[in-house]
Amino acid sequence: RRTRYTALVLATGISVLAVLLVIGAWRNDHTIESNMGVATAEVLSAGSMRSAVSYVTPDGVTHNPELGVLYPTRLIVGQRIDVEYARDDPDLVRVAGRNASVAIIPAGSVIVVTWAIAAPLVWYLVRRERREQHEYRERRETDD
């Protein structure tokens, strides 16, 4: 029974984290859009999960956000891209034209795969527990 609850708690936890990821992305987008600045940036490093960029704001300050740029897929080192950033927090920057909607499919995929694994496991554990209870009752009845 403990294994079944553990599987349910883990699957629920992973699902909640995936939803929170999308909510966080929407919150970041809202922050950027509430006081948006636009600049041209150079891609310093590119990866599917994190890409570093460098850009200059109108006040002449060069920014190289520590956490990289949001929505970094399909970027190439040395590429010049348009970025949108929060003027109040220039380290919060995203590739222009991209938003949190790109996070929905990966988060949804994580949820689907998680439950595709957890549901059959929980089903199997419930069946096994019922079978064991049934066998226990039969043994008690034959012993009496």
Side-chain angles (χ1 to χ4, degrees), residues 54-57 59-65 91:
S54 177
Y55 68 97
V56 180
T57 52
D59 58 3
V61 177
T62 300
H63 294 275
N64 185 355
D91 285 343

Side-chain angles (χ1 to χ4, degrees), residues 1 5-6 8 10-11 35 45 48 50 52 54 62 72-73 93 96 108 115-117 129 137:
R1 186 174 286 182
Y5 290 134
T6 300
L8 287 171
L10 283 173
N35 191 13
S45 68
S48 60
R50 183 183 182 284
S54 177
T62 300
T73 55
V93 60
W115 286 100
I117 294 168
E129 183 179 337
R137 276 190 234 118

Side-chain angles (χ1 to χ4, degrees), residues 45-52 69-75 98 106:
S45 68
S48 60
M49 300 299 284
R50 183 183 182 284
S51 292
V69 64
L70 298 173
Y71 322 121
T73 55
R74 297 186 305 270
L75 297 180
R98 296 183 186 174

